[in-house]
């Protein structure tokens, strides 16, 4: 009896997307599972809270599920999903910016034990938000999400040299923003 080796070979991303469009109920779930970690890292980096990241992921996957039949195969399926999540985060960020901010009185709502790790996370996020959008996108795509410069260039729609220069400028600005600064408390002025 001859076994069909194609049964044991995992389907490519493009095959899964095509199967989803053709009505395979499990194909999109398999595709999502394959890319979930990388897409979630993107959403987490581009969102102010884990809840906003989860909402952006849900919005993006719903959009990808619905738009699968319009995928034009001009990029990889992974790049297409990345771009959809990226756009969902931008849309969610705009919606969040339109909401009024609510400030809590720390005496009324005390904050429990701010750990150094959380402080570092907040400093890094703040420094990243301080970057121009094009520089932030370049440094996040390559340095945080692990894409190569060539892949990042395709995803961002710019030449590879532009990705490299944007990353260099972003890294320089991050170094300056995150450099330790001496405390000014009790600084003696005069002589």
């Amino acid at each position: 009896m001859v076994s069909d080796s194609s049964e044991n070979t995992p389907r490519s991303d493009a095959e899964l997307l095509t199967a989803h469009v053709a009505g395979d109920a499990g194909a999109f779930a398999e595709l999502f599972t394959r890319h979930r970690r990388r897409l979630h890292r993107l959403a987490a980096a581009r969102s102010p809270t884990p809840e906003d990241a989860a909402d952006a992921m849900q919005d993006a996957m719903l959009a990808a599920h619905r738009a699968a039949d319009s995928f034009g195969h001009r990029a990889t399926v992974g790049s297409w999903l990345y771009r959809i999540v990226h756009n969902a985060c931008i849309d969610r960020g705009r919606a969040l910016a339109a909401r009024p901010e609510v400030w809590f009185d720390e005496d009324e709502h005390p904050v429990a034990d701010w750990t150094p790790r959380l402080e570092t996370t907040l400093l890094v996020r703040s420094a990243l938000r301080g970057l121009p959008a094009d520089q932030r996108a370049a440094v996040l795509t390559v340095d945080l999400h692990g894409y190569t410069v060539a892949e990042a260039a395709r995803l961002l729609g710019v030449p590879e040299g532009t990705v490299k220069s944007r990353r260099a400028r972003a890294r320089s600005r991050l170094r300056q923003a995150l450099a330790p600064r001496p405390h000014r408390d009790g600084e003696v002025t005069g002589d």
Side-chain angles (χ1 to χ4, degrees):
M1 181 170 161
V2 176
S3 68
D4 185 4
S5 63
S6 66
E7 288 180 27
N8 297 328
T9 305
R11 295 185 285 182
S12 71
D13 290 348
E15 290 170 333
L16 286 171
L17 195 60
T18 301
H20 163 66
V21 170
D24 181 339
F28 192 81
E30 185 178 340
L31 183 63
F32 172 71
T33 299
R34 186 176 290 173
H35 292 277
R36 178 181 61 228
R37 291 179 71 201
R38 179 176 264 179
L39 298 174
H40 183 71
R41 281 195 313 263
L42 168 65
R46 305 264 309 144
S47 302
T49 67
E51 293 80 15
D52 291 319
D55 289 345
M57 278 290 290
Q58 184 175 359
D59 294 347
M61 289 306 100
L62 185 59
H65 191 272
R66 290 178 177 163
D69 61 341
S70 66
F71 177 66
H73 298 280
R74 290 182 301 272
T76 65
V77 174
S79 297
W80 177 71
L81 290 171
Y82 184 94
R83 182 49 112 180
I84 290 173
V85 172
H86 177 80
N87 289 340
C89 291
I90 290 171
D91 292 344
R92 186 154 276 288
R94 287 182 187 138
L96 290 172
R99 284 193 286 177
E101 288 189 33
V102 178
W103 294 94
F104 292 102
D105 180 4
E106 287 185 24
D107 293 332
E108 190 176 323
H109 302 284
V111 178
D113 187 33
W114 288 87
T115 63
R117 184 174 180 170
L118 180 58
E119 289 173 352
T120 300
T121 299
L122 293 172
L123 284 171
V124 171
R125 280 191 176 188
S126 177
L128 284 168
R129 284 191 195 112
L131 294 174
D134 58 349
Q135 291 177 15
R136 183 174 52 244
V139 80
L140 287 175
T141 304
V142 176
D143 296 320
L144 184 65
H145 301 294
Y147 285 96
T148 66
V149 171
E151 291 169 332
R154 273 195 318 276
L155 286 170
L156 300 173
V158 297
E160 288 181 36
T162 302
V163 171
K164 290 177 183 178
S165 64
R166 286 177 181 174
R167 280 181 64 223
R169 286 192 299 271
R171 287 174 165 191
S172 175
R173 290 178 102 164
L174 288 172
R175 264 191 300 278
Q176 291 173 358
L178 298 172
R181 305 207 194 295
H183 276 297
R184 296 202 174 257
D185 296 348
E187 180 177 309
V188 178
T189 58
D191 15 325

